[in-house]
């Protein structure tokens, strides 16, 4: 689907919904729709509010209520991650899975036919399936590198500390030897 036709289709869906629900046809909702259709990736309500054009600011509650409608109309897909609701464009986008970095929160789309197959064939007794999205949690390469570096530093420090400890033991041995020598001199500890 071409980008313009997706935009037209999304506008038509929203217009139909607003008319059907006898809601006020405010320009804010369409302005938010425009921003949502252009956004890449996964964003919170706060992010989306920040993406609004400077000459067309909208209130946080308006963004919240509009995103609820867009989710209901399947124009966007919502993800509840780490207690934050993140939205991504769904209209004109193939359904997909995600992998998420638990350290920095980076979300990456994942298209995987094997996961589709497994989810599609999963047995769900007394439950009719509609959709399945997989989330794979782990660490991105950047965070993994930072964590490895930290681990290495800790290990180095541990080794450094151990050497100090060993030095202390060595000093104690030396002191004891000296003490024994002194005792010998005064005639204690002979034989
Ligand atoms: Zn990360
Ligand atoms: Zn996605």
């Amino acid at each position: 689907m071409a980008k313009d036709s997706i935009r037209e289709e999304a506008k038509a869906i929203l217009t139909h919904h607003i008319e059907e629900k006898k809601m006020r046809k405010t320009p804010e909702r369409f302005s938010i729709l425009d921003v949502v259709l252009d956004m890449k990736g996964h964003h919170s309500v706060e992010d989306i509010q920040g993406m609004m054009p400077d000459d067309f600011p909208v209130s946080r509650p308006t963004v919240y209520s509009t995103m609820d409608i867009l989710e209901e109309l399947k124009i966007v897909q919502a993800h509840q991650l780490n207690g934050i609701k993140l939205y991504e464009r769904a209209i004109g986008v193939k359904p997909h899975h995600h992998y998420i970095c638990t350290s920095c929160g980076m979300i990456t789309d994942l298209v995987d036919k094997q996961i589709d197959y497994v989810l599609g064939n999963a047995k769900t007794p007394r439950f009719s399936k509609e959709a399945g999205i997989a989330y794979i949690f782990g660490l991105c390469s950047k965070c993994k590198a930072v964590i490895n570096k930290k681990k290495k530093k800790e290990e180095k420090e541990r080794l450094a500390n151990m050497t100090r400890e060993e030095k202390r033991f060595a000093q104690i041995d030396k002191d004891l030897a000296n003490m024994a020598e002194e005792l010998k001199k005064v005639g204690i500890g002979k034989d």
Side-chain angles (χ1 to χ4, degrees):
M1 228 190 309
K3 221 178 170 197
D4 280 345
S5 63
I6 292 170
R7 199 171 292 273
E8 288 316 308
E9 192 195 332
K11 271 186 189 162
I13 293 169
L14 181 60
T15 305
H16 178 251
H17 179 83
I18 286 172
E19 285 169 358
E20 198 181 51
K21 300 274 174 188
K22 295 190 168 54
M23 292 159 76
R24 278 198 314 129
K25 205 170 160 184
T26 60
E28 281 86 354
R29 297 198 198 282
F30 288 90
S31 175
I32 294 167
L33 176 66
D34 258 334
V35 164
V36 163
L37 292 175
D38 283 334
M39 75 184 186
K40 286 185 175 64
H42 315 76
H43 304 280
S44 66
V45 159
E46 203 174 16
D47 295 336
I48 294 164
Q49 192 189 17
M51 287 175 205
M52 296 303 295
D54 289 340
D55 58 346
F56 204 91
V58 290
S59 71
R60 187 75 55 90
T62 304
V63 183
Y64 271 113
S65 68
T66 304
M67 293 315 293
D68 279 346
I69 295 168
L70 298 182
E71 185 186 350
E72 190 189 328
L73 298 174
K74 294 189 167 46
I75 291 171
V76 296
Q77 159 95 49
H79 304 279
Q80 192 78 42
L81 294 164
N82 295 329
I84 304 170
K85 205 166 181 180
L86 298 176
Y87 295 93
E88 69 174 323
R89 185 162 71 92
I91 189 165
V93 173
K94 272 194 187 141
H96 55 268
H97 310 287
H98 298 86
Y99 51 94
I100 298 135
C101 175
T102 51
S103 181
C104 69
M106 186 187 77
I107 306 173
T108 309
D109 287 346
L110 171 68
V111 176
D112 188 315
K113 285 204 166 68
Q114 272 180 294
I115 299 176
D116 295 341
Y117 178 82
V118 169
L119 291 178
N121 286 285
K123 299 264 182 293
T124 52
R126 294 178 297 281
F127 181 85
S128 75
K129 279 184 291 192
E130 271 179 19
I133 298 176
Y135 297 102
I136 299 171
F137 296 94
L139 289 171
C140 74
S141 57
K142 262 190 198 165
C143 290
K144 181 132 186 157
V146 169
I147 288 168
N148 280 347
K149 213 173 151 188
K150 206 176 144 209
K151 262 192 197 159
K152 262 193 192 148
K153 201 181 154 209
E154 280 168 2
E155 181 66 12
K156 218 174 145 186
E157 277 171 7
R158 201 175 65 86
L159 283 172
N161 285 338
M162 250 178 69
T163 312
R164 263 208 296 279
E165 196 103 304
E166 278 165 6
K167 272 185 198 154
R168 231 181 68 213
F169 279 123
Q171 188 60 48
I172 291 168
D173 279 344
K174 224 167 148 186
D175 291 345
L176 285 174
N178 285 341
M179 214 186 280
E181 206 61 38
E182 290 297 316
L183 290 173
K184 258 185 216 167
K185 274 183 200 163
V186 294
I188 305 171
K190 259 185 187 167
D191 304 314

